[in-house]
Amino acid sequence: MPAGKRNVTENNGKGAAVKMLWSKAFCLCAVLILSLWFCVEAVPIAVDKTKVETPEQKLEAPQSVDTGLHYDRYLREVIDFLEKDQHFREKLHNTDMEDIKQGKLAKELDFVGHHVRTKLDELKRQEVNRLRTLIKTKQDVEGGHEMNHKALLKQFEYMNHMNPHTFEVEDLDKLIKSATSDLENYDKERHEEFKRYEMMKDHKRKEHLKNLDEEHRKDEEQHYEELRKKHADHPKINHPGSQDQLKEVWKESDGLDPNDFDPKTFFKLHDTNGDGYIDEQELEALFTKELEKMYSPNLEEDDMTEMEEERLRMREHVMNEVDTNKDRLVSLDEFLISTNKKEFQEPDSWETLEQAPAYTDEDMKLFEEQLAQEESNLNQKNVDLQKQKEELERQQEQLNAQKAELQQAVEHMQIIKSEKANVAVGVKDGGATVAVPPGGQALPVLPGDRQPLPPGHQQDLPAHS
C-alpha cells in the first residue's frame, strides 16, 4: 500500500462509511449499498503513468464497520434487503440525493417484492423487541413503576413505533431522515469531544503544576514550552485540496512526476473503489503526507488525537469548497471544476490547530466552572454516602446487640427446660415408684423393701426383743 494510503481509524470509518449511505453512488458499485465498507487498496500504476486506466477490481466481502448509531445493525439490514429488489435498486439509481433526503424514495417501498416486504416486517419486529428489552433492562437497573412501552418508544424516531408489526413507507421515510440527520451531526459531535479533550488536557496540566514546588514548577513549564516549540517546528503545510498539496501526493505517494500532473488522472488514481466518486474516506487519505509533517506517534510533543482532528478539519474544508451539491461525495465534474479556480492555484496559507485553537478563554472558564460543580456534587455525594454508611453501621450494631440478647434468652430458656425435664423422673418396678432428685440416680426397689418416705418424714424402726 503506498505511503499516502492508510487504513482509516475506526472513528473515521464510522463517519465516512455511512454518510453516503443513501447516495445513488452505492448502486453504481453493483454489489451492495454498503460497498463503502470494502477494503481499500491502491490502484496499481501502469507503465505509462500519465495515461492511467483503472483496472477491473475484484469485489471483496464487505467489512462490518459500526456507524456509531445505536440502530446501526437495523439500518444496514434494511438497506441490504432493499438493494436486492430490482425495482427499488433502479429507482435508487435514478433518484438524486436531495429527493432521497426528502423521502420521495420511501414511496417506492409499495412496489418492492413480497418476499422483501416480509423480511422487512421481520426485521422491524426484531428491532422493536430489542428496544423493549433494552428499556426493560434499563428499568430493572434504575427501578421504577410499570413502564409505558409506547411512551418510551417515542424516543426512537427512526421507526413508526405505533405499528410494531409491519414495515411501511413511513418506517423507511423515518429511517432515511433519522440516519441523515444523525450522521450529519457526527462531525459536530466529534469537534465537541475534541474541544473537551483539549480543555481537560490543559486543566490537568495546570492542576499538576499547582502541586509542584517553585523549582519543579519552573522546570515543568520550561519542558512544556520546549515541546510546544518542537511541535510547531515543521515544514510548511500545504493548503488542503490545493494544487501544491495534490502535486505532493502525486509525487510522494503515486510516484509520478509533478510536471506531468493531470487532475483527471489524479481523480482516477484516488477513486480507490472505482465508483466514480471520491468519498470522505478516500479524501482523508490524501492528507496523510501533510499530517506526517506535523505528527509522529514516536515523539512526545505530538498528540495523535490532535492529528485526527486536523485530518477532519482538512476534509471538511475541501468538502465545503468542492462538493457543490452537498451529497458528501466529490464527483469527477466537481473535482475538475475546483481545479480551475484561482484558490486551487493560489490558495491562502493553512491555519493549523496550534494557530487556530479549539477553544477560547471563555470556553475554558465555563469548562472549569463545570468541573468544579461536578467535583462539588461528587463530594456531596461522598458525604451523603458516608452518612448512610455510618447509619447502616449503627443499625447493624443495634441488630447485633438484639441478636445477642435474644441468644441469651434462648439459652436461659433451654436451661430451665432442661432442669424441669430432670426433676423427679420415676423408675418403676413392680408398681413402686422412687423419686429421683435432680442429678441423682434412682436405686431399684427390691421385693420386701419398704417404700422410701418423702423428705421430712421419719421411718419407724422395728422393736427389738
Side-chain angles (χ1 to χ4, degrees):
M1 182 176 292
K5 297 294 179 184
R6 71 182 185 98
N7 289 328
V8 183
T9 59
E10 180 182 356
N11 280 343
N12 290 339
K14 289 178 182 178
V18 194
K19 284 175 180 175
M20 292 73 72
L21 202 57
W22 297 103
S23 173
K24 63 183 179 181
F26 295 161
C27 293
L28 303 177
C29 296
V31 188
L32 295 174
I33 289 182
L34 301 178
S35 61
L36 286 181
W37 287 310
F38 282 19
C39 298
V40 176
E41 297 183 358
V43 178
I45 299 176
V47 177
D48 187 352
K49 295 180 179 180
T50 62
K51 306 269 186 198
V52 177
E53 293 183 1
T54 305
E56 182 179 355
Q57 298 180 353
K58 295 182 178 180
L59 299 175
E60 301 177 9
Q63 295 176 339
S64 178
V65 178
D66 191 348
T67 64
L69 302 177
H70 66 86
Y71 51 93
D72 169 76
R73 181 176 177 178
Y74 175 66
L75 173 66
R76 287 186 287 129
E77 287 179 340
V78 168
I79 295 172
D80 185 20
F81 277 96
L82 282 173
E83 198 276 337
K84 293 177 181 178
D85 183 84
Q86 182 177 356
H87 172 82
F88 192 88
R89 185 168 60 249
E90 291 175 354
K91 286 295 181 180
L92 180 60
H93 177 81
N94 296 318
T95 305
D96 60 40
M97 192 62 185
E98 194 59 34
D99 287 343
I100 293 176
K101 290 181 178 180
Q102 292 178 1
K104 294 182 180 179
L105 184 66
K107 298 177 182 178
E108 300 300 325
L109 182 66
D110 288 333
F111 303 100
V112 302
H114 175 72
H115 66 288
V116 174
R117 291 296 296 268
T118 301
K119 183 61 181 179
L120 292 176
D121 292 345
E122 180 183 347
L123 291 176
K124 182 178 180 180
R125 287 192 292 269
Q126 292 174 355
E127 182 68 3
V128 170
N129 289 334
R130 183 185 73 86
L131 296 179
R132 285 175 172 168
T133 301
L134 290 175
I135 293 171
K136 181 63 169 64
T137 302
K138 181 179 179 180
Q139 185 194 37
D140 291 342
V141 171
E142 298 180 354
H145 306 288
E146 183 179 357
M147 63 180 173
N148 184 333
H149 283 285
K150 290 185 178 180
L152 292 172
L153 284 172
K154 286 183 179 179
Q155 61 185 294
F156 304 106
E157 296 296 336
Y158 61 94
M159 67 164 60
N160 176 16
H161 55 82
M162 299 301 292
N163 172 17
H165 306 294
T166 58
F167 190 96
E168 306 295 341
V169 171
E170 184 179 358
D171 291 292
L172 182 55
D173 184 44
K174 284 178 173 288
L175 185 59
I176 292 174
K177 291 180 178 178
S178 294
T180 301
S181 175
D182 292 343
L183 292 170
E184 285 178 348
N185 291 328
Y186 180 79
D187 287 344
K188 181 179 178 181
E189 292 172 359
R190 280 186 59 188
H191 285 308
E192 288 299 319
E193 289 175 3
F194 176 75
K195 184 169 77 171
R196 183 175 177 85
Y197 167 82
E198 288 287 281
M199 290 190 293
M200 180 60 76
K201 187 171 69 171
D202 192 24
H203 172 76
K204 289 181 177 179
R205 185 181 67 83
K206 291 178 180 178
E207 291 298 311
H208 173 66
L209 292 175
K210 288 181 182 179
N211 297 325
L212 300 178
D213 57 42
E214 187 67 22
E215 179 181 357
H216 288 89
R217 182 163 53 252
K218 288 183 178 179
D219 291 342
E220 193 71 17
E221 288 176 340
Q222 182 179 356
H223 178 64
Y224 170 76
E225 187 63 22
E226 289 174 355
L227 292 179
R228 190 188 65 79
K229 290 181 179 180
K230 283 182 180 180
H231 175 70
D233 184 18
H234 53 69
K236 177 187 175 183
I237 303 301
N238 291 313
H239 194 97
S242 67
Q243 179 175 246
D244 291 340
Q245 192 256 317
L246 298 187
K247 278 188 175 182
E248 188 165 322
V249 175
W250 176 273
K251 176 183 176 181
E252 301 295 336
S253 299
D254 302 331
L256 300 172
D257 187 343
N259 295 324
D260 296 329
F261 178 77
D262 177 65
K264 187 173 183 180
T265 300
F266 184 91
F267 185 94
K268 290 182 178 180
L269 279 171
H270 296 280
D271 173 20
T272 55
N273 63 3
D275 65 354
Y277 296 86
I278 290 181
D279 59 46
E280 293 181 340
Q281 182 176 350
E282 293 165 335
L283 183 60
E284 288 184 357
L286 300 179
F287 308 136
T288 299
K289 280 297 176 183
E290 299 302 317
L291 296 169
E292 287 176 349
K293 297 176 184 179
M294 296 183 284
Y295 297 95
S296 170
N298 300 320
L299 297 179
E300 181 184 2
E301 63 267 23
D302 296 336
D303 187 331
M304 294 299 101
T305 301
E306 292 179 354
M307 184 188 76
E308 290 307 318
E309 175 68 10
E310 191 74 77
R311 188 190 302 274
L312 174 59
R313 292 176 68 240
M314 290 179 172
R315 185 253 292 166
E316 285 182 327
H317 171 75
V318 174
M319 277 294 187
N320 288 334
E321 294 292 322
V322 181
D323 179 24
T324 56
N325 66 355
K326 305 304 177 185
D327 64 353
R328 295 184 176 267
L329 298 170
V330 176
S331 67
L332 177 59
D333 288 341
E334 289 174 327
F335 181 75
L336 294 178
I337 290 173
S338 71
T339 61
N340 292 323
K341 295 180 180 179
K342 180 180 178 181
E343 294 80 2
F344 178 75
Q345 299 177 0
E346 301 176 10
D348 297 331
S349 59
W350 176 252
E351 285 191 344
T352 58
L353 276 175
E354 61 262 22
Q355 298 167 319
Y359 59 90
T360 64
D361 292 340
E362 183 65 22
D363 290 333
M364 190 65 188
K365 180 182 178 181
L366 293 174
F367 178 73
E368 290 182 332
E369 290 176 355
Q370 180 184 1
L371 287 181
Q373 184 61 47
E374 291 175 356
E375 183 178 1
S376 175
N377 293 340
L378 287 175
N379 290 336
Q380 184 59 48
K381 287 183 178 179
N382 286 334
V383 171
D384 294 340
L385 289 173
Q386 183 62 31
K387 290 181 179 179
Q388 293 178 14
K389 178 183 177 183
E390 293 173 356
E391 177 62 20
L392 290 173
E393 289 176 347
R394 186 187 65 80
Q395 294 178 5
Q396 185 63 44
E397 290 177 357
Q398 291 180 344
L399 290 173
N400 291 339
Q402 294 174 1
K403 181 179 179 181
E405 292 177 359
L406 180 61
Q407 185 66 27
Q408 290 178 357
V410 170
E411 292 175 354
H412 181 67
M413 293 296 296
Q414 289 177 342
I415 292 174
I416 294 176
K417 183 178 179 180
S418 177
E419 289 178 349
K420 288 183 178 180
N422 290 330
V423 172
V425 176
V427 179
K428 297 182 179 180
D429 188 358
T433 301
V434 179
V436 181
Q441 182 177 3
L443 298 176
V445 180
L446 300 176
D449 286 353
R450 300 175 63 89
Q451 296 287 345
L453 296 176
H457 290 70
Q458 295 184 351
Q459 182 178 9
D460 294 335
L461 298 175
H464 296 278
S465 55

